Amino acid sequence: MTRRILAIASGGGHWQQLMLMRPAFASAQPLYLTTLPGLPEQFGCSPAAVIPDCNRNEKIAILRCAAAIAGHMLRHRPHVVISTGALPGVLALALGRLMGARTIWVDSVANAEEMSMSGKLARRFAHLWMSQWEHVARESGATYAGAVL
């Protein structure tokens, strides 16, 4: 059975870090979701889709984003959901966990002092909760397995 993966990240550094993990998805059927139009094409990702962005201050945007993610999840039925951040990734982990998927959070390498706010939220939904900084992992209780950059 081929594993279906939903790989999601906001634009910018979160997306670039997720792209560095692509070789790990080679034997699976990944679906890539991001918030910035043009990124999937720029990185040659297929299949991929753009979802609405959201942040903690825009409640309606959170609902739109969650609805879009849920629609993709219902069609793709992922076995695994993985994210490098930010809030859309947390939403995907929460929805994925509800659907019975295994969930993985890899906090951005940009968070060198402490786990990100989204990372702290993701902890309750992630089966595997990781930091790319050994000292941040140690202090927060996350798993450390190296950095993608």
PDB file of all heavy atoms in Angstrom, residues 84-98:
ATOM      1  N   THR A  84       5.822  22.130   8.576  1.00  0.00           N
ATOM      2  CA  THR A  84       6.935  22.897   9.130  1.00  0.00           C
ATOM      3  C   THR A  84       6.451  24.252   9.634  1.00  0.00           C
ATOM      4  O   THR A  84       7.255  25.075  10.027  1.00  0.00           O
ATOM      5  CB  THR A  84       8.024  23.104   8.062  1.00  0.00           C
ATOM      6  OG1 THR A  84       7.421  23.623   6.882  1.00  0.00           O
ATOM      7  CG2 THR A  84       8.733  21.799   7.747  1.00  0.00           C
ATOM      8  N   GLY A  85       5.156  24.515   9.587  1.00  0.00           N
ATOM      9  CA  GLY A  85       4.583  25.745  10.136  1.00  0.00           C
ATOM     10  C   GLY A  85       3.795  26.503   9.094  1.00  0.00           C
ATOM     11  O   GLY A  85       3.830  26.193   7.928  1.00  0.00           O
ATOM     12  N   ALA A  86       3.063  27.398   9.418  1.00  0.00           N
ATOM     13  CA  ALA A  86       2.657  28.040  10.662  1.00  0.00           C
ATOM     14  C   ALA A  86       1.219  27.599  11.003  1.00  0.00           C
ATOM     15  O   ALA A  86       0.939  26.400  10.953  1.00  0.00           O
ATOM     16  CB  ALA A  86       2.766  29.553  10.515  1.00  0.00           C
ATOM     17  N   LEU A  87       0.318  28.538  11.307  1.00  0.00           N
ATOM     18  CA  LEU A  87      -1.020  28.179  11.769  1.00  0.00           C
ATOM     19  C   LEU A  87      -1.772  27.246  10.815  1.00  0.00           C
ATOM     20  O   LEU A  87      -2.424  26.309  11.288  1.00  0.00           O
ATOM     21  CB  LEU A  87      -1.845  29.428  12.086  1.00  0.00           C
ATOM     22  CG  LEU A  87      -3.223  29.188  12.704  1.00  0.00           C
ATOM     23  CD1 LEU A  87      -3.145  28.305  13.948  1.00  0.00           C
ATOM     24  CD2 LEU A  87      -3.899  30.509  13.026  1.00  0.00           C
ATOM     25  N   PRO A  88      -1.728  27.424   9.494  1.00  0.00           N
ATOM     26  CA  PRO A  88      -2.404  26.440   8.637  1.00  0.00           C
ATOM     27  C   PRO A  88      -1.908  25.007   8.872  1.00  0.00           C
ATOM     28  O   PRO A  88      -2.686  24.055   8.802  1.00  0.00           O
ATOM     29  CB  PRO A  88      -2.088  26.922   7.215  1.00  0.00           C
ATOM     30  CG  PRO A  88      -1.948  28.408   7.376  1.00  0.00           C
ATOM     31  CD  PRO A  88      -1.235  28.563   8.700  1.00  0.00           C
ATOM     32  N   GLY A  89      -0.639  24.864   9.192  1.00  0.00           N
ATOM     33  CA  GLY A  89      -0.097  23.540   9.502  1.00  0.00           C
ATOM     34  C   GLY A  89      -0.674  22.976  10.784  1.00  0.00           C
ATOM     35  O   GLY A  89      -0.940  21.775  10.878  1.00  0.00           O
ATOM     36  N   VAL A  90      -0.876  23.819  11.783  1.00  0.00           N
ATOM     37  CA  VAL A  90      -1.484  23.372  13.038  1.00  0.00           C
ATOM     38  C   VAL A  90      -2.905  22.881  12.761  1.00  0.00           C
ATOM     39  O   VAL A  90      -3.319  21.831  13.261  1.00  0.00           O
ATOM     40  CB  VAL A  90      -1.496  24.500  14.094  1.00  0.00           C
ATOM     41  CG1 VAL A  90      -2.224  24.048  15.354  1.00  0.00           C
ATOM     42  CG2 VAL A  90      -0.086  24.942  14.440  1.00  0.00           C
ATOM     43  N   LEU A  91      -3.646  23.652  11.960  1.00  0.00           N
ATOM     44  CA  LEU A  91      -5.005  23.251  11.611  1.00  0.00           C
ATOM     45  C   LEU A  91      -5.007  21.900  10.904  1.00  0.00           C
ATOM     46  O   LEU A  91      -5.844  21.035  11.180  1.00  0.00           O
ATOM     47  CB  LEU A  91      -5.660  24.306  10.728  1.00  0.00           C
ATOM     48  CG  LEU A  91      -5.874  25.679  11.356  1.00  0.00           C
ATOM     49  CD1 LEU A  91      -6.359  26.680  10.307  1.00  0.00           C
ATOM     50  CD2 LEU A  91      -6.831  25.608  12.529  1.00  0.00           C
ATOM     51  N   ALA A  92      -4.056  21.708   9.997  1.00  0.00           N
ATOM     52  CA  ALA A  92      -3.969  20.441   9.263  1.00  0.00           C
ATOM     53  C   ALA A  92      -3.650  19.281  10.208  1.00  0.00           C
ATOM     54  O   ALA A  92      -4.220  18.192  10.065  1.00  0.00           O
ATOM     55  CB  ALA A  92      -2.911  20.534   8.164  1.00  0.00           C
ATOM     56  N   LEU A  93      -2.774  19.489  11.175  1.00  0.00           N
ATOM     57  CA  LEU A  93      -2.465  18.436  12.132  1.00  0.00           C
ATOM     58  C   LEU A  93      -3.699  18.084  12.958  1.00  0.00           C
ATOM     59  O   LEU A  93      -3.988  16.905  13.181  1.00  0.00           O
ATOM     60  CB  LEU A  93      -1.319  18.847  13.060  1.00  0.00           C
ATOM     61  CG  LEU A  93       0.072  18.346  12.674  1.00  0.00           C
ATOM     62  CD1 LEU A  93       0.526  18.866  11.333  1.00  0.00           C
ATOM     63  CD2 LEU A  93       1.071  18.683  13.755  1.00  0.00           C
ATOM     64  N   ALA A  94      -4.445  19.099  13.411  1.00  0.00           N
ATOM     65  CA  ALA A  94      -5.645  18.849  14.210  1.00  0.00           C
ATOM     66  C   ALA A  94      -6.675  18.064  13.399  1.00  0.00           C
ATOM     67  O   ALA A  94      -7.230  17.059  13.873  1.00  0.00           O
ATOM     68  CB  ALA A  94      -6.237  20.172  14.698  1.00  0.00           C
ATOM     69  N   LEU A  95      -6.911  18.495  12.162  1.00  0.00           N
ATOM     70  CA  LEU A  95      -7.878  17.801  11.305  1.00  0.00           C
ATOM     71  C   LEU A  95      -7.391  16.395  10.945  1.00  0.00           C
ATOM     72  O   LEU A  95      -8.168  15.442  10.929  1.00  0.00           O
ATOM     73  CB  LEU A  95      -8.143  18.615  10.045  1.00  0.00           C
ATOM     74  CG  LEU A  95      -8.895  19.929  10.265  1.00  0.00           C
ATOM     75  CD1 LEU A  95      -8.834  20.800   9.014  1.00  0.00           C
ATOM     76  CD2 LEU A  95     -10.332  19.667  10.683  1.00  0.00           C
ATOM     77  N   GLY A  96      -6.103  16.283  10.672  1.00  0.00           N
ATOM     78  CA  GLY A  96      -5.540  14.973  10.348  1.00  0.00           C
ATOM     79  C   GLY A  96      -5.667  14.003  11.498  1.00  0.00           C
ATOM     80  O   GLY A  96      -6.003  12.827  11.304  1.00  0.00           O
ATOM     81  N   ARG A  97      -5.414  14.475  12.674  1.00  0.00           N
ATOM     82  CA  ARG A  97      -5.529  13.599  13.856  1.00  0.00           C
ATOM     83  C   ARG A  97      -6.974  13.126  14.027  1.00  0.00           C
ATOM     84  O   ARG A  97      -7.216  11.962  14.342  1.00  0.00           O
ATOM     85  CB  ARG A  97      -5.043  14.333  15.092  1.00  0.00           C
ATOM     86  CG  ARG A  97      -4.957  13.424  16.282  1.00  0.00           C
ATOM     87  CD  ARG A  97      -3.784  13.755  17.144  1.00  0.00           C
ATOM     88  NE  ARG A  97      -3.704  12.763  18.203  1.00  0.00           N
ATOM     89  CZ  ARG A  97      -2.621  12.478  18.840  1.00  0.00           C
ATOM     90  NH1 ARG A  97      -1.500  13.091  18.541  1.00  0.00           N
ATOM     91  NH2 ARG A  97      -2.626  11.593  19.795  1.00  0.00           N
ATOM     92  N   LEU A  98      -7.927  14.041  13.805  1.00  0.00           N
ATOM     93  CA  LEU A  98      -9.344  13.663  13.878  1.00  0.00           C
ATOM     94  C   LEU A  98      -9.697  12.585  12.857  1.00  0.00           C
ATOM     95  O   LEU A  98     -10.567  11.746  13.105  1.00  0.00           O
ATOM     96  CB  LEU A  98     -10.239  14.877  13.646  1.00  0.00           C
ATOM     97  CG  LEU A  98     -10.395  15.841  14.812  1.00  0.00           C
ATOM     98  CD1 LEU A  98     -11.151  17.089  14.378  1.00  0.00           C
ATOM     99  CD2 LEU A  98     -11.096  15.156  15.982  1.00  0.00           C
TER     100      LEU A  98
END
